Amino acid sequence: HEGGLRLGDGGMVRDIFTGSAEAVAKGGNVVVVSPLDEIDLSNYAATQPLNLTLNKKVGTIKVGTTNENPQPVTITVADGIEFPTFNVASSGQSIRNLTIKGTPSSEKTFGGMSLRNSLGNQPKNITNVTFEGVHFDAKGVEMAHNNGTVIDNMAIKNCVFTNMKEPAVSFQSGGKHGNVEIINNTITFAQDATGSANGMYLL
């Protein structure tokens, strides 16, 4: 499995020796079986959903797209595996139909997703995006933006936020927000957290 991807196709398993977009172009069930530097989903145009399981570390996953309604992509980070960096390569791209799953009790934590500094570029739209069972640490979900990003249908559910020194979930002015569900999450704060480290900051 030198290439790092194992692709389930009609009950058969094929080994894919690349981390490029071609490896996931058909959708279906894909398992990362050895470390990869990058997976590029920016041109993902399959006709069926993609279920991508990370059993080994992936450095970066490019999740920005110009596709208006791509097939759903679910990225499951296995327990004990480091979270990748999620990247939007161009300011003209959006994040659409994406679910990120983790394990709430995992020792490997996610350093948060911020429109301000962790995605590379601020996306035009964030539509149908879900965080489920993710263990965030120190940083959470920060939708602070100044370029008019439109956020619609976001869900944050069954997640754990630990050692927070800032708001776990933050939606600030500068864009448009709609239909956000925040369900059944647990938040604990660092001992030196300031009074501005709210559970939710909705401006």
Side-chain angles (χ1 to χ4, degrees):
H1 299 298
E2 289 181 353
L5 295 179
R6 187 177 69 215
L7 183 66
D9 183 9
M12 299 178 65
V13 174
R14 293 186 290 121
D15 293 329
I16 304 299
F17 296 100
T18 177
S20 67
E22 288 79 7
V24 294
K26 292 184 178 181
N29 298 316
V30 178
V31 180
V32 175
V33 294
S34 64
L36 291 172
D37 290 333
E38 179 182 283
I39 295 176
D40 187 357
L41 300 176
S42 58
N43 294 312
Y44 180 69
T47 58
Q48 63 175 325
L50 171 66
N51 298 306
L52 179 63
T53 300
L54 309 187
N55 282 343
K56 295 292 183 178
K57 181 181 178 180
V58 175
T60 300
I61 300 181
K62 293 183 177 180
V63 293
T65 179
T66 56
N67 191 331
E68 291 293 323
N69 189 29
Q71 285 289 323
V73 173
T74 299
I75 299 172
T76 301
V77 181
D79 190 8
I81 302 300
E82 290 186 33
F83 273 80
T85 297
F86 296 99
N87 176 264
V88 175
S90 167
S91 58
Q93 294 179 337
S94 297
I95 303 175
R96 302 182 187 273
N97 304 343
L98 174 67
T99 296
I100 299 172
K101 290 185 175 182
T103 303
S105 60
S106 179
E107 293 183 0
K108 299 292 186 180
T109 59
F110 182 33
M113 180 174 283
S114 171
L115 288 186
R116 184 163 54 183
N117 54 31
S118 70
L119 286 169
N121 287 280
Q122 291 189 12
K124 289 177 58 179
N125 297 276
I126 296 179
T127 306
N128 300 328
V129 172
T130 297
F131 298 94
E132 183 174 350
V134 175
H135 183 181
F136 294 88
D137 191 69
K139 295 182 179 294
V141 180
E142 182 189 34
M143 301 291 102
H145 40 72
N146 55 19
N147 70 340
T149 299
V150 177
I151 299 170
D152 194 26
N153 293 334
M154 175 178 280
I156 304 166
K157 56 185 181 180
N158 304 319
C159 294
V160 171
F161 298 81
T162 54
N163 300 312
M164 300 305 295
K165 294 186 178 182
E166 56 188 53
V169 178
S170 176
F171 286 83
Q172 299 186 29
S173 59
K176 299 179 181 180
H177 314 112
N179 300 325
V180 178
E181 296 183 316
I182 304 171
I183 303 171
N184 196 36
N185 302 287
T186 301
I187 304 169
T188 57
F189 296 92
Q191 289 187 350
D192 58 346
T194 66
S196 62
N198 308 288
M200 293 186 290
Y201 183 76
L202 308 178
L203 182 59

